[in-house]
């Protein structure tokens, strides 16, 4: 076990604990804008679906119920513009982080193989490569990578941490390049429904993939859009051959989404009203924090989508973390996401309205 854990970096959030203690000592309490966990209630129709399915004594299936697959394919066609999506193009997963961390292993990658991801990125992409012993590569433009040995290419749009959105024409170019070189593309699109100043597009959109999902898989989560982080409700969609292989592996591994969560996911994907209500909450919090941070002397870059503001004062990120912690505000240092984030911090706007108002007051 020690040999496996030795492959991994230090768990980044542990480094933030001293600053969390500082922020928590504020007389009015901490405003935690670091992790970005949902705080608003789970919509009632989703809770009701979970409760109605609570009497589920049997084992769930890894592929999910036909009702769940119907819900996912219907959402893919209606929301993502993936008109050819069918049951063989979908697979539920137990939260997207589990999928990201173990995907290279489940794909059979190892020493001599390469896994690439953006220079500023969710740390679990690197963790997944390290767990299987593959080489981790970062990129600014994936088409400038040497394709030799590159087996898995991660895209992330909207980006965590920057909120940057890859335009449709760029996606078309990247997909064409990856297909030319036989590189499997996994596109992390978990923030796709949270575009503010740009409209994110999926790699599965007909205009991007040409109606074929060959070599393409999209990753989606209900954690943010539906406040379901605690449910671990997510799915992948795309290349039927890739998903079929993963289904067989995950059946052997017992990677099953609980039956009540499957039922809750059906309800969540079938309702747009709660998504719009949550978007409105986030939009108001985003605007309040953006205005306050800029008035405090911060510059905001990208941040056109997702649940974060990517901000800087052109100083080491840990100096910014310390400064804000002294005000009782906890944020994530940019170097959690790569060396290129060394002068940035990521500010989540997932706190309650009351806590966001407290942060705005302190920044003033």
């Amino acid at each position: 076990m020690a040999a496996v854990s030795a492959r991994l970096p230090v768990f980044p959030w542990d480094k933030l604990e001293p600053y969390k203690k500082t922020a928590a000592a504020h007389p009015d309490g901490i405003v935690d804008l670091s992790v970005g966990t949902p705080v608003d209630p789970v919509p009632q129709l989703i809770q009701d679906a979970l409760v109605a399915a609570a009497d589920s004594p049997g084992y769930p299936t890894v592929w999910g119920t036909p009702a769940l697959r119907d819900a996912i394919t219907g959402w893919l066609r209606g929301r993502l513009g993936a008109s050819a999506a069918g049951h063989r193009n979908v697979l539920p997963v137990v939260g997207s982080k589990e999928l990201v961390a173990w995907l290279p292993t489940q794909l059979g990658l190892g020493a001599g193989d390469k896994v690439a991801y953006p220079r500023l990125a969710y740390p679990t992409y690197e963790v997944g490569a390290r767990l299987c012993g593959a080489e981790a590569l970062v990129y600014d433009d994936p088409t400038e990578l040497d394709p030799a040995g590159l087996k898995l290419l991660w895209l992330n749009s909207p980006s965590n941490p920057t909120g940057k959105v890859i335009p449709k024409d760029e996606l078309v170019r990247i997909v064409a390049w990856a297909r030319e070189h036989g590189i499997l593309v996994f596109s992390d699109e978990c923030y796709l429904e949270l575009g503010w100043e740009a409209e994110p597009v999926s790699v599965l959109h007909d205009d991007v993939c040409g109606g074929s999902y060959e070599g393409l898989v999209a990753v989606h989560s209900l954690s943010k859009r539906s406040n379901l982080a605690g449910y671990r409700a997510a799915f992948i969609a795309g290349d039927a051959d890739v998903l079929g292989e993963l289904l067989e592996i995950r059946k052997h591994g017992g990677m099953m989404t609980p039956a009540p969560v499957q039922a809750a996911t059906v309800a969540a994907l079938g309702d747009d009203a709660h998504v719009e209500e949550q978007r409105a909450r986030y939009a108001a919090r985003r605007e309040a924090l953006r205005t306050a941070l800029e008035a405090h002397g911060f510059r905001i870059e990208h941040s056109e989508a997702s649940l974060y503001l990517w901000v800087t004062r052109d100083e080491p990120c840990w100096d910014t973390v310390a400064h804000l912690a002294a005000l009782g505000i906890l944020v994530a240092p940019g170097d959690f996401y790569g060396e290129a984030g060394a002068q940035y911090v990521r500010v989540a706007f997932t706190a309650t309205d009351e806590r966001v108002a407290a942060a705005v007051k302190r920044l003033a």
Side-chain angles (χ1 to χ4, degrees), residues 18-240:
Y19 301 91
K20 187 174 184 178
K21 290 179 181 178
T22 299
H26 190 280
D28 186 38
I30 189 173
V31 178
D32 193 341
L33 307 179
S34 61
V35 177
T37 188
V39 297
D40 298 302
V42 173
Q44 192 60 50
L45 86 161
I46 300 175
Q47 294 189 47
D48 291 346
L50 184 85
V51 171
D55 186 14
S56 297
Y59 290 112
T61 63
V62 174
W63 198 18
T65 62
L68 176 58
R69 283 177 262 141
D70 282 342
I72 295 173
T73 54
W75 185 84
L76 292 170
R77 292 191 294 263
R79 181 64 184 84
L80 299 192
S83 64
H87 281 207
R88 293 183 64 244
N89 302 113
V90 302
L91 180 62
V93 295
V94 191
S96 58
K97 184 170 186 175
E98 170 265 306
L99 182 279
V100 173
W102 293 107
L103 176 68
T105 298
Q106 292 177 12
L107 290 173
L109 304 188
D113 297 323
K114 298 175 183 177
V115 176
Y117 49 87
R119 188 171 301 281
L120 281 166
Y122 184 46
T124 312
Y125 303 138
E126 179 187 359
V127 167
R130 289 196 183 200
L131 281 171
C132 74
E135 180 183 354
L137 301 174
V138 297
Y139 65 78
D140 296 306
D141 178 348
T143 66
E144 295 178 355
L145 292 167
D146 180 355
L150 181 55
K151 299 296 179 65
L152 174 61
L153 173 64
W154 279 106
L155 303 181
N156 180 207
S157 177
S159 163
N160 174 15
T162 69
K164 184 178 181 179
V165 171
I166 302 175
K168 184 191 290 185
D169 59 348
E170 279 294 287
L171 285 175
V172 171
R173 183 178 67 85
I174 293 167
V175 166
W177 176 83
R179 283 175 165 170
E180 178 185 352
H181 296 287
I183 299 166
L184 178 61
V185 174
F186 263 69
S187 179
D188 181 346
E189 302 173 354
C190 289
Y191 296 92
L192 183 134
E193 294 203 89
L194 295 162
W196 309 110
E197 294 155 1
E199 186 61 39
V201 179
S202 172
V203 293
L204 302 185
H205 192 289
D206 291 351
D207 291 347
V208 174
C209 68
S212 166
Y213 309 136
E214 179 184 358
L216 303 176
V217 179
V219 181
H220 285 273
S221 167
L222 280 72
S223 293
K224 306 302 193 290
R225 75 185 290 279
S226 300
N227 300 334
L228 295 188
Y231 283 45
R232 312 313 301 136
F235 58 89
I236 54 178
D239 190 315

Side-chain angles (χ1 to χ4, degrees), residues 275-329:
V275 179
E276 291 306 312
E277 290 172 9
Q278 191 59 45
R279 274 182 57 87
R281 293 187 189 104
Y282 285 142
R285 294 166 187 167
R286 177 180 183 270
E287 183 59 30
L289 283 170
R290 183 183 190 108
T291 301
L293 287 163
E294 288 179 333
H296 196 77
F298 285 100
R299 185 175 73 255
I300 297 172
E301 295 188 3
H302 297 303
S303 307
E304 58 260 32
S306 83
L307 289 178
Y308 312 107
L309 295 170
W310 186 239
V311 308
T312 184
R313 295 201 305 181
D314 297 312
E315 66 182 4
C317 61
W318 288 99
D319 291 353
T320 306
V321 169
H323 169 74
L324 291 173
L327 298 177
I329 301 169

